[in-house]
Amino acid sequence: MQRYLLLSALLGASSITFAEDRSEAIYLEKCASCHGRELQGGNAQSMVDGVWQFGGGDGDLTRNIKFGISAVGMPNYEPSLSDDEINGLVRYIREAQSRAGAERPPLPETLPTRDYDVKVEKWIGEGLRLPWALTFVDQRTALLTEQPGRLRIIKDGKLDPKPIAGTPPVFSRGQGGLLDVAVDPDYATNGWVYLTHSHALDRKSEKGETASMTRLVRGKIVDHAWTDQQVLFEADPATYRYTTHHFGSRIAFDPEGRLYFSIGERGHQDDAQNPNLPNGKVHRVNRDGSIPADNPFADGVKGLPSVFTYGNRNPQGLATHPATGVIWESEHGPMGGDEINVLEGGVNYGWPKITYGLNYNGTPITDTQRAEGMRQPVSYWAPSIAVCGIEFSQGDEFPRWKDHLIVGGLGHETLQRLAIADGHVMHTEQLLQGAGRVRDVAVDPSGAIYAVLNGPAIVIRLTNGGVARRQ
Ligand code: HEC
């Protein structure tokens, strides 16, 4: 690296240009298929949003490129690239990062869509770190999680600078951390707030990795403090996994007040097919953690009593259909094969036996996309948008979008509207693109739509700026 710099300095600008061009060519040949041509992310994460899950120093980047991150499908380039070429790539990433920071276009004030001119505002513009989930307590009050482990209050559109003290410690590594937040359907009378988070054991693997799994707790917020905590779901320690990805997780309630929450397959794809393991599932419990008598494996004979559906890869979206009360789910596919599913108890959604996805190296995961006894998604994306939070549009703000599904995508930095009729997706409209990675979607009681973004860490609000009058 030093030698390169010295050489560049001696030879002048032309050699620098030459070296940069070469890095770009290497990048386009070896990295763009997963990380995107503009480094914006796609099937693997963005490298220009300032978020580094595996370390953001030059040394971390060099190590991750050289040795790969095998558990998550990042290849190792030691065999094919020299140290100088890897250093060149690190510099290329840095330059793209600073360009992207400078060049992200300002948010549009108005967004013309098929039905409305939508007013776009930055609702929470600063003070957040990796915001993960947003939910409304009432029209004026919202709760928001930050993945590193903070629960925040937003009142009248202002972020309370003081996080809630005493929330459970989280395993904040990779995709792990504080995940979803939800308020009890009877919050006004009982005050319960529900959280899912990555939970670590003291146990380590031979390589020193920490055993972890997604856990569900509830508690109350009193004077900025988390109190009365109850653990509602904690998996058998024997089933904890050593990876740091695919934790899920979202929470939703059905009209009977039962609670659904998701756990990703933790990178152990075959676990998703085994109803006796907690990962790769959507679970259903009563609000006190007890098991509903009509759960598909309630007797615990052929599966865990809490399991509601299985064969789910990494569900990071759950939403309750306002009219039918049925739970809709989004799950990340690999390359291609992001899915929207309508959940039904005891059903196998097929991962990894059937999928529309490809492995990160481009080979098909399976040539089987349908199978007897395995449910098809109602909709899927190929290539993946890295589908994440979902919520149904309700309330008076956007009457023409009543019961449409608003969907966020991380990789493609997209917010989409899926028009739904009779449980089918009739058409899809892209609402917003390129404002940031969309981690979560929320709708307030009046019907305004919110998108929680990562890189920039902000929350955007969409309201009705008038019915579209276009030819
Ligand atoms: C086959 C797909 C694939 C290719 C090709 C690939 N990567 Fe990755 N890379 C991944 C995945 C998957 C991750 C893990 C992060 C994630 O889940 O998106 C990752 C992670 C990384 C990270 C760590 C990111 C962090 O958050 O800390 C760096 C740096 C990186 N890749 C650089 C590169 C470079 C440079 C190249 C080309 C030489 C490359 N990658 C090629 C799939 C790929």
Side-chain angles (χ1 to χ4, degrees):
M1 165 104 183
Q2 264 176 3
R3 199 183 51 201
Y4 167 86
L5 284 177
L6 185 63
L7 213 67
S8 313
L10 287 174
L11 297 179
S14 64
S15 76
I16 291 175
T17 312
F18 176 74
E20 280 168 0
D21 286 348
R22 173 108 188 85
S23 298
E24 180 168 19
I26 295 174
Y27 179 84
L28 290 175
E29 182 196 325
K30 301 208 183 276
C31 322
S33 61
C34 290
H35 290 281
R37 285 185 71 83
E38 310 287 332
L39 296 79
Q40 79 280 19
N43 300 304
Q45 73 166 63
S46 164
M47 294 200 282
V48 292
D49 61 1
V51 179
W52 297 103
Q53 299 183 58
F54 301 96
D58 283 2
D60 299 311
L61 266 63
T62 306
R63 180 198 61 222
N64 289 334
I65 298 169
K66 192 166 177 177
F67 302 113
I69 314 168
S70 63
V72 292
M74 164 64 194
N76 70 316
Y77 288 93
E78 196 183 18
S80 54
L81 293 176
S82 70
D83 283 0
D84 280 350
E85 285 170 327
I86 292 176
N87 287 337
L89 278 174
V90 173
R91 248 188 334 272
Y92 178 74
I93 293 168
R94 296 295 186 212
E95 281 161 15
Q97 215 182 343
S98 60
R99 262 198 322 272
E103 278 178 11
R104 193 183 281 283
L107 282 177
E109 280 176 25
T110 306
L111 192 69
T113 71
R114 179 179 160 133
D115 298 310
Y116 300 102
D117 289 326
V118 174
K119 208 172 125 207
V120 182
E121 291 163 277
K122 217 180 255 182
W123 192 57
I124 304 294
E126 55 189 25
L128 296 176
R129 203 169 126 57
L130 284 172
W132 214 90
L134 174 68
T135 195
F136 280 82
V137 178
D138 55 43
Q139 185 60 37
R140 296 178 53 195
T141 319
L143 295 173
L144 178 143
T145 60
E146 295 173 291
Q147 191 181 342
R150 295 193 298 190
L151 178 61
R152 313 292 299 260
I153 298 180
I154 299 167
K155 191 88 193 171
D156 294 326
K158 298 233 162 25
L159 177 68
D160 189 325
K162 215 164 106 191
I164 306 302
T167 49
V170 302
F171 177 61
S172 177
R173 283 281 310 281
Q175 296 172 357
L178 183 55
L179 304 172
D180 207 13
V181 55
V183 296
D184 194 284
D186 300 317
Y187 177 83
T189 51
N190 67 22
W192 286 117
V193 174
Y194 300 79
L195 299 173
T196 48
H197 70 92
S198 310
H199 175 245
L201 301 176
D202 291 335
R203 198 177 80 217
K204 303 258 190 247
S205 72
E206 281 170 12
K207 290 192 217 148
E209 300 143 318
T210 302
S212 62
M213 189 56 76
T214 308
R215 187 170 90 152
L216 171 71
V217 302
R218 71 174 176 181
K220 297 183 182 184
I221 298 172
V222 181
D223 295 336
H224 282 88
W226 180 253
T227 65
D228 301 292
Q229 178 172 295
Q230 299 174 350
V231 175
L232 301 183
F233 176 88
E234 188 175 303
D236 178 349
T239 64
Y240 275 47
R241 296 298 188 191
Y242 294 113
T243 54
T244 59
H245 61 297
H246 296 181
F247 288 94
S249 166
R250 294 289 173 192
I251 302 169
F253 298 94
D254 69 15
E256 290 83 57
R258 292 169 300 195
L259 183 155
Y260 299 70
F261 70 98
S262 61
I263 307 183
E265 36 77 304
R266 308 300 325 287
H268 292 261
Q269 54 183 43
D270 295 334
D271 291 0
Q273 284 295 321
N274 182 349
N276 283 300
L277 293 172
N279 44 328
K281 310 291 169 345
V282 176
H283 298 256
R284 180 172 77 175
V285 294
N286 293 316
R287 284 177 277 167
D288 61 0
S290 62
I291 302 295
D294 57 346
N295 264 16
F297 305 105
D299 60 6
V301 176
K302 289 191 174 151
L304 294 180
S306 60
V307 165
F308 187 68
T309 64
Y310 61 112
N312 302 112
R313 185 172 180 268
N314 187 26
Q316 291 198 322
L318 285 182
T320 311
H321 192 286
T324 65
V326 172
I327 309 294
W328 287 52
E329 177 241 30
S330 75
E331 67 182 65
H332 293 280
M335 292 217 299
D338 278 7
E339 295 181 357
I340 297 285
N341 291 302
V342 177
L343 299 187
E344 190 185 326
V347 167
N348 179 354
Y349 287 82
W351 174 257
K353 298 266 186 221
I354 56 167
T355 169
Y356 291 88
L358 304 169
N359 286 307
Y360 282 121
N361 66 10
T363 57
I365 287 177
T366 161
D367 49 18
T368 316
Q369 281 155 356
R370 293 174 175 271
E372 189 72 26
M374 295 184 195
R375 185 67 54 87
Q376 285 290 303
V378 292
S379 188
Y380 69 92
W381 287 265
S384 298
I385 60 167
V387 64
C388 204
I390 60 174
E391 193 52 84
F392 284 96
S393 171
Q394 312 178 51
D396 298 332
E397 192 71 19
F398 299 107
R400 292 186 184 178
W401 295 352
K402 186 174 157 48
D403 299 351
H404 291 191
L405 192 65
I406 311 297
V407 171
L410 291 161
H412 285 209
E413 300 196 345
T414 172
L415 187 72
Q416 303 186 357
R417 175 179 64 88
L418 275 51
I420 313 272
D422 293 336
H424 297 285
V425 176
M426 306 309 284
H427 70 259
T428 300
E429 178 179 39
Q430 174 138 285
L431 298 179
L432 198 63
Q433 216 213 339
R437 292 158 63 77
V438 184
R439 178 64 70 180
D440 198 16
V441 176
V443 174
D444 74 17
S446 75
I449 295 169
Y450 299 77
V452 175
L453 305 186
N454 290 173
I458 59 172
V459 182
I460 284 177
R461 176 159 84 149
L462 306 183
T463 48
N464 190 337
V467 171
R469 305 227 179 276
R470 280 177 287 279
Q471 298 303 310

